[in-house]
Amino acid sequence: MATDMVTNSRAEVLRRVRAARGGTSDGVAVRAGWDGIAREYRRKGTREREGLLALLEDRLRDYDARVVRAAGEGVGQSVAKRLVERGVRRMVVPVGLPVEWMPVGWLPASAGEVEFVVDEGLSSEELDDVDGVMTGATLAIAETGTFVLQNVAGQGRRAATLVPDYHLCVVRAEDVVETVPEAMGRLQETAGLATTFVSGPSATADIEMTRIKGVHGPRSLDVILIV
Amino acid sequence: MRVSLFITCYNDTLFPETGKAVVRVLERLGHMVEFPRGQTCCGQMHYNTGYQAEAMPLLERFVAQFRGAEAVVVPSSSCVAMMRDHYPKMAVASGRAELIAEVDALLPRVFEFSEFLTKRLGLEDVGAYYPHRVTYHASCHGLRNLLLGDGPMRLLKAVRGIDLVELQGLEQCCGFGGTFAVKNADVSSAMLAEKTTAVLNTKAEACTACDNSCLMHLQGALHRQRTGVKTVHLAEILAGEDGVGR
Amino acid sequence: MSGVGLDPKTAPTFPMAAKAMLGDTQLRKNVRHATDVIQEKRARVVGEMPDWQELREAGRQIRRHTMEYLDFYLEEFEANCTRAGGVVHWARDAEEARGIVVGLVKASGSDQVIKIKSMTTEEIQLNSALEAAGIHPYETDLAELIIQLGEDRPSHIVVPALHKNRQQIREIFQREMKLPELGERPQDLADAARMFLREKFLRVKTAVSGANFLIAETGGVCVVESEGNGRMCLTLPETLITIAGIDKVLPRFQDLEVMLQLLPRSATGERMNPYNSIWTGVDAASSGDGLRDGPRVFHVVLTDNARTEILADEEGRQTLNCIRCGACQNACPVYRQTGGHAYGSVYAGPIGAILTPQLQEMHHAQSLPYASSLCGACYEVCPVKINIPEVLIHLRNKVVKQNTAGVAGLFDVEAGAMKAMAMIFRSERRFRAAQRLGRVAERPLVRRDGQGEGWIGWLPGLLGGWTQARDLEEMPKETFRDWWERRGRDGN
């Protein structure tokens, strides 16, 4: 009986849709229709590399993220400096985070001033118990000040970049695109992965439209741009 | 040019001075004005209130009166918006091919008064003189449906003697909206209060617009509150001449 | 715990509800401030985009295309979501949707759910159904939490508590969270919400969400939010139940490149909102670190609830293109005066004025299509170019047809007047006669002012609304056409 009801609802809703539209859609017409959609908007950015990175930095800062640049071996030093500044003691990192991003001497986990905990399936409560998280990113969008995280090595589970109060994200300059369409183009192949667009720290404007940094997600966000 | 005037029902009945001013400006510019006498109403009030069927004969009447016109000039942005936005759909709904064709052929020759001056004739200075402090209210239909832009302001800026002052919140509706003003009288009054406050803040003697329906609404409150500020259609300002007064 | 939901079936007419709201000075100040701020932010970030109009046009075409082939895309979404481990349910109406969700929550073994803000769950009044079944829903969006704890009702699609100021919110939090020392800075209030909800996020095993987009091509779902409460609900619990109207489908992943530009800029005036989550079914742990990511069980409830009725109406259909950004509310001079509650529906403002009566199949909320001066500000800001004024007029026609059907129609005062006017306008002779008659009829109402001008300060019946706040000048002695003919005769 319950199954009947379910089947009937599906059939009924689809019947109503088709009745409203005058019949069943034909796949060829659907594809032709989609191809015919006018897309006159900008697909590609026009900025040179330096302009692009400057735009990203400007847009990230506009949304209360801190941004610094680092190169080569300087990445580890830059990470160390950020973590000391933020006063964090325990950082969670995903499996597969590039080792060269770690401050020299801070690995293995207990060697440095900051303890790194590799996420090998931490519970939500355990994640709530660390001070911050450090990840890479699939790409960043300069025009909107966004970086994109996916469930891949070096970026990890969504929960790990959510529950801790501080997020340090390392972005490679070659992964920066200017526009949203360029980003979606790059993400198309991995569209099935859990994907999160992050633009600045958690925020709300629900009280008198005053933008407040930090509600439930990480309240502080640092970005290191590898150039 | 031979210009056919569609005066609109409420201008004819309530604001004849506007029509006279339109005639004066157009004749001063050397055009021949005619007034097809069978004209009445464009059907906007009926159409917008939900009485679409009642508007249909008025469309037919308009087409019959103006089909031979070289240019139709209408001193009301909302009536022109009615024609441009809805006549083609109404004609299509009638299913009558000849009506569809006639509407399509006629509409490109229909102009709101300021639009006729700026876009059709390419004028800004129409030789007017109006030594008063004036603020301009952009009616919603003029602003959003007809896209008059700064056309009316450019006409006003060219008027000699005028002290033109900008109205804050230009894009805000005055709250008239036809039958909205009586069906939702309380909200309409609240919107109107904002608009009259903006008008009073300009310290203008007169508020002008391309649409007497907004102006009637504004005038109603400006008079009720005994503000001493009057409303005057754009055409009446453009008709002003040195030594003639108003 | 939550207040009685907004129900178009029992709500007073818009003019009546609006009258009450207009008397609430605090509410009007709050609404004015919020809509001013959000409009200003929107204008700034929209102004940055040289291709905004092209994006709007693409957005319109994508939505129109989706509605044209909705059956195809719904089936495609269902197949792909199912393949990825999701379970797709179909609901014909609100009651069926509520039943499905209550059943799924019970099956998950939880008597509590955490909820991310969802207009669809408000529309189907899910919370009261959950409570009736002994399930406690925790709203986790800050504004929704304010509404829930204050036993209030949402008044805006995007910022549902914009009618409350910080002092009012502080009072609610002090009372309901038992925090007598709470400060009144927005930051203090947000911190209190963080503390209050953190424990729920970590503990409650079942979540309910809405959806911004269902991606047919991949079977994925996209949710756009700011606070991270959405991510908490979407990733931490074991069971996730997503409720979406059938109109939420998007053909392909690539189409997000348009929507993710249009929606944040229109909704909150941000270039991109802090978090967009996209997920597809349940994570099979096939990639990366081998760790499972997100809920083990994922359900989608595709809800019709009169959307197919709207789809069947050629002129009303564009209503379904709405992506719920709320820009039309902020721009609407009527909404800005009254706030959202006057609309008697979770969908307030211009979009509510067209969506609500259609969701009620025109049986209720018939006063809403008239809650507009047709100024067009809504159409101008709509990111997918819904011609709201056009739909309003179309729905007014439906209301008139209802009111004038049958014997009752013969006694409808407005309809009688409208028909009489139309009759007059069909003949120049009758029109002239009416003009003369008008001058005679108004005479008893005309009073002379100090300048000797005649003005009317009181009008009877339906026209009385005019003279509430406005005078009317007496009719001039001579009509334009009389002048024109006299001028012709006199040879001027």
Side-chain angles (χ1 to χ4, degrees):
Chain A
M1 146 100 199
T3 318
D4 268 8
M5 170 100 164
V6 170
T7 321
N8 288 343
S9 298
R10 180 185 189 281
E12 173 60 12
V13 172
L14 285 169
R15 186 198 64 73
R16 289 178 189 171
V17 171
R18 288 179 176 131
R21 295 294 338 181
T24 303
S25 297
D26 160 57
V28 176
V30 174
R31 274 183 288 279
W34 190 86
D35 289 339
I37 291 168
R39 295 176 192 268
E40 310 279 314
Y41 49 86
R42 291 171 302 146
R43 309 300 298 271
K44 273 183 153 349
T46 53
R47 285 178 170 77
E48 298 300 317
R49 182 184 140 105
E50 181 47 40
L52 182 65
L53 299 182
L55 181 66
L56 175 66
E57 289 173 314
D58 175 71
R59 297 289 154 91
L60 279 166
R61 288 190 183 117
D62 196 30
Y63 284 158
D64 304 315
R66 282 202 224 161
V67 200
V68 292
R69 294 190 190 193
E73 289 177 7
V75 176
Q77 287 168 16
S78 185
V79 168
K81 201 169 163 212
R82 295 284 83 70
L83 298 185
V84 169
E85 267 174 20
R86 291 290 185 179
V88 290
R89 307 302 307 173
R90 298 182 75 222
M91 288 288 286
V92 63
V93 292
V95 172
L97 192 75
V99 180
E100 64 271 22
W101 294 353
M102 291 298 189
V104 177
W106 282 20
L107 276 180
S110 57
E113 300 165 34
V114 177
E115 182 189 356
F116 286 93
V117 185
V118 178
D119 178 21
E120 288 174 313
L122 299 174
S123 69
S124 302
E125 289 77 7
E126 286 168 322
L127 286 172
D128 196 33
D129 222 32
V130 298
D131 298 323
V133 58
M134 175 177 164
T135 67
T138 297
L139 57 82
I141 309 167
E143 195 167 83
T144 58
T146 304
F147 58 82
V148 174
L149 303 173
Q150 291 182 299
N151 182 21
V152 294
Q155 298 172 39
R157 295 187 300 150
R158 288 173 286 171
T161 52
L162 172 65
V163 179
D165 203 15
Y166 166 64
H167 187 178
L168 173 60
C169 185
V170 182
V171 177
R172 295 186 179 94
E174 62 264 33
D175 295 329
V176 180
V177 298
E178 186 170 333
T179 66
V180 175
E182 287 169 280
M184 298 315 289
R186 286 204 192 186
L187 293 170
Q188 177 73 42
E189 276 201 19
T190 52
L193 290 178
T195 301
T196 308
F197 287 55
V198 179
S199 310
S202 158
T204 185
D206 276 344
I207 301 167
E208 297 183 12
M209 294 312 298
T210 308
R211 190 182 160 100
I212 315 160
K213 197 170 64 164
V215 192
H216 303 294
R219 287 184 284 191
S220 307
L221 175 65
D222 289 346
V223 175
I224 296 176
L225 197 51
I226 306 184
V227 291
Chain B
M1 195 184 298
R2 183 170 54 87
V3 177
S4 301
L5 180 61
F6 180 64
I7 190 68
T8 80
C9 60
Y10 70 97
N11 280 326
D12 183 14
T13 311
L14 301 174
F15 302 100
E17 294 306 319
T18 297
K20 294 177 198 171
V22 170
V23 173
R24 202 172 304 138
V25 171
L26 293 176
E27 287 183 350
R28 193 169 69 206
L29 294 170
H31 302 286
M32 199 192 92
V33 181
E34 62 164 31
F35 179 83
R37 62 173 291 169
Q39 63 178 280
T40 58
C41 168
C42 69
Q44 179 186 196
M45 180 182 72
H46 287 94
Y47 192 89
N48 282 356
T49 312
Y51 295 83
Q52 271 85 328
E54 313 297 336
M56 194 58 202
L58 303 177
L59 176 158
E60 289 167 12
R61 188 174 190 86
F62 179 83
V63 171
Q65 291 289 319
F66 290 94
R67 56 166 60 99
E70 189 180 350
V72 183
V73 167
V74 187
S76 163
S77 42
S78 64
C79 299
V80 177
M82 164 69 196
M83 298 175 201
R84 279 198 200 148
D85 291 352
H86 304 305
Y87 276 13
K89 273 185 302 188
M90 291 166 70
V92 168
S94 77
R96 284 154 47 193
E98 87 286 0
L99 187 64
I100 298 170
E102 281 206 290
V103 167
D104 284 351
L106 177 55
L107 283 182
R109 287 176 279 141
V110 177
F111 300 91
E112 183 276 328
F113 172 65
S114 76
E115 183 183 46
F116 180 72
L117 298 177
T118 56
K119 295 188 182 168
R120 180 68 179 81
L121 301 181
L123 294 173
E124 285 184 7
D125 187 346
V126 296
Y129 172 71
Y130 194 82
H132 301 283
R133 189 172 172 92
V134 172
T135 191
Y136 168 73
H137 162 68
S139 83
C140 296
H141 285 106
L143 190 69
R144 301 197 180 87
N145 301 59
L146 305 187
L147 304 174
L148 296 181
D150 64 350
M153 281 298 272
R154 284 188 282 122
L155 288 166
L156 287 167
K157 278 180 187 151
V159 172
R160 279 171 297 122
I162 199 167
D163 176 11
L164 193 60
V165 49
E166 207 171 299
L167 189 65
Q168 287 295 305
L170 190 70
E171 70 298 334
Q172 285 281 325
C173 177
C174 72
F176 176 58
T179 48
F180 174 76
V182 291
K183 280 176 178 284
N184 277 287
D186 293 292
V187 182
S188 169
S189 302
M191 290 161 69
L192 178 58
E194 264 185 57
K195 187 58 76 179
T196 51
T197 303
V199 170
L200 294 177
N201 285 344
T202 64
K203 303 211 172 2
E205 299 154 66
C207 177
T208 190
C210 297
D211 208 318
N212 271 326
S213 53
C214 307
L215 291 180
M216 177 172 74
H217 193 228
L218 278 161
Q219 179 200 43
L222 291 170
H223 186 269
R224 169 67 60 89
Q225 296 161 28
R226 307 295 186 258
T227 59
V229 178
K230 68 175 181 179
T231 54
V232 51
H233 191 282
L234 180 83
E236 294 170 52
I237 292 179
L238 299 185
E241 285 170 36
D242 202 355
V244 176
R246 193 188 107 65
Chain C
M1 184 151 127
S2 60
V4 178
L6 289 160
D7 188 350
K9 291 183 179 62
T10 54
T13 64
F14 182 81
M16 281 175 63
K19 197 182 177 77
M21 296 302 157
L22 290 172
D24 188 337
T25 51
Q26 182 70 63
L27 174 133
R28 290 180 69 187
K29 175 177 167 288
N30 297 349
V31 172
R32 177 69 47 85
H33 170 76
T35 50
D36 277 348
V37 171
I38 200 166
Q39 282 202 98
E40 197 253 321
K41 287 172 71 180
R42 176 199 167 274
R44 201 166 57 223
V45 297
V46 164
E48 282 176 3
M49 301 293 279
D51 55 346
W52 185 251
Q53 295 307 330
E54 288 76 16
L55 282 166
R56 283 180 81 211
E57 180 57 25
R60 183 183 76 84
Q61 292 194 23
I62 289 168
R63 296 297 290 154
R64 194 182 56 181
H65 166 81
T66 309
M67 294 311 144
E68 190 164 356
Y69 301 109
L70 190 58
D71 62 324
F72 180 92
Y73 287 125
L74 284 169
E75 288 197 309
E76 189 185 16
F77 171 79
E78 180 191 40
N80 289 324
C81 180
T82 306
R83 189 174 306 137
V87 184
V88 178
H89 308 259
W90 300 71
R92 285 168 285 201
D93 52 31
E95 188 185 349
E96 193 172 1
R98 289 191 296 261
I100 292 170
V101 176
V102 168
L104 291 173
V105 175
K106 284 187 170 166
S108 77
S110 181
D111 60 358
Q112 299 180 336
V113 294
I114 45 176
K115 278 188 71 202
I116 164 175
K117 174 175 165 305
S118 145
M119 294 308 294
T120 312
T121 61
E122 296 277 2
E123 172 193 323
I124 66 170
Q125 307 208 352
L126 179 66
N127 283 4
S128 42
L130 289 170
E131 284 165 15
I135 300 161
H136 187 96
Y138 289 103
E139 292 292 349
T140 65
D141 171 75
L142 181 53
E144 289 287 344
L145 179 68
I146 295 164
I147 300 288
Q148 190 179 35
L149 295 180
E151 300 194 17
D152 197 351
R153 299 164 304 170
S155 69
H156 188 280
I157 289 175
V158 175
V159 227
L162 97 172
H163 58 287
K164 293 281 189 215
N165 68 7
R166 65 186 74 187
Q167 289 83 7
Q168 293 168 310
I169 296 165
R170 175 169 169 261
E171 277 174 37
I172 294 166
F173 280 12
Q174 281 182 320
R175 186 176 68 236
E176 299 297 323
M177 297 178 183
K178 310 203 166 35
L179 298 170
E181 305 298 318
L182 183 61
E184 69 164 41
R185 292 179 312 144
Q187 189 69 59
D188 300 330
L189 302 170
D191 287 348
R194 180 185 171 96
M195 291 279 290
F196 180 77
L197 286 171
R198 178 64 53 140
E199 175 268 331
K200 275 93 187 163
F201 288 137
L202 298 180
R203 183 175 50 78
V204 178
K205 296 298 178 199
T206 304
V208 173
S209 89
N212 289 97
F213 305 105
L214 308 173
I215 307 156
E217 178 192 29
T218 60
V221 182
C222 177
V223 164
V224 169
E225 53 129 359
S226 295
E227 296 169 15
N229 65 302
R231 295 180 65 195
M232 294 278 181
C233 294
L234 303 174
T235 54
L236 299 188
E238 283 169 9
T239 300
L240 171 61
I241 303 159
T242 295
I243 303 158
I246 54 172
D247 51 317
K248 288 297 175 68
V249 188
L250 202 57
R252 300 196 193 173
F253 186 76
Q254 192 199 324
D255 295 321
L256 285 172
E257 74 187 19
V258 176
M259 297 305 163
L260 291 183
Q261 295 196 75
L262 291 172
L263 180 57
R265 288 178 200 259
S266 300
T268 51
E270 293 168 301
R271 299 184 186 101
M272 192 68 88
N273 44 287
Y275 302 126
N276 299 331
S277 296
I278 304 167
W279 74 96
T280 309
V282 290
D283 184 61
S286 57
S287 62
D289 47 22
L291 300 173
R292 290 194 65 133
D293 184 356
R296 302 286 184 270
V297 182
F298 172 52
H299 298 275
V300 179
V301 184
L302 298 175
T303 305
D304 178 355
N305 204 29
R307 283 161 177 74
T308 46
E309 191 83 14
I310 303 176
L311 191 68
D313 178 353
E314 205 179 320
E315 291 181 70
R317 184 178 301 152
Q318 55 178 315
T319 310
L320 294 176
N321 294 357
C322 176
I323 57 171
R324 308 286 189 267
C325 72
C328 61
Q329 302 183 310
N330 308 323
C332 177
V334 175
Y335 177 92
R336 282 162 53 79
Q337 297 293 344
T338 64
H341 294 159
Y343 294 77
S345 159
V346 297
Y347 302 110
I351 188 63
I354 60 171
L355 181 57
T356 302
Q358 294 186 89
L359 287 176
Q360 299 295 320
E361 299 178 30
M362 301 308 289
H363 297 314
H364 305 280
Q366 293 101 331
S367 66
L368 289 186
Y370 290 94
S372 165
S373 64
L374 304 179
C375 82
C378 47
Y379 181 27
E380 191 174 52
V381 296
C382 178
V384 292
K385 299 206 291 206
I386 301 170
N387 190 335
I388 294 178
E390 185 177 82
V391 180
L392 284 166
I393 292 170
H394 169 63
L395 297 179
R396 289 176 182 189
N397 186 230
K398 287 191 160 190
V399 173
V400 164
K401 282 180 180 160
Q402 278 181 356
N403 291 349
T404 53
V407 181
L410 300 175
F411 300 98
D412 188 293
V413 178
E414 180 193 284
M418 283 290 177
K419 283 186 199 307
M421 296 268 293
M423 171 84 166
I424 288 165
F425 287 138
R426 284 203 290 273
S427 140
E428 193 223 345
R429 189 178 52 78
R430 282 196 296 266
F431 181 40
R432 296 190 99 140
Q435 287 175 324
R436 283 193 298 275
L437 188 65
R439 277 198 292 275
V440 177
E442 72 169 9
R443 208 171 290 155
L445 301 170
V446 174
R447 301 283 176 273
R448 298 283 142 202
D449 69 7
Q451 282 72 48
E453 288 177 353
W455 289 84
I456 297 167
W458 179 86
L459 284 167
L462 295 177
L463 299 175
W466 181 272
T467 44
Q468 264 182 27
R470 310 162 193 86
D471 291 337
L472 189 66
E473 193 166 11
E474 75 170 326
M475 289 167 69
K477 297 286 171 277
E478 187 180 50
T479 63
F480 176 82
R481 70 181 66 219
D482 287 342
W483 172 80
W484 178 266
E485 283 173 6
R486 185 164 59 79
R487 182 177 183 253
R489 277 196 307 275
D490 299 350
N492 288 332

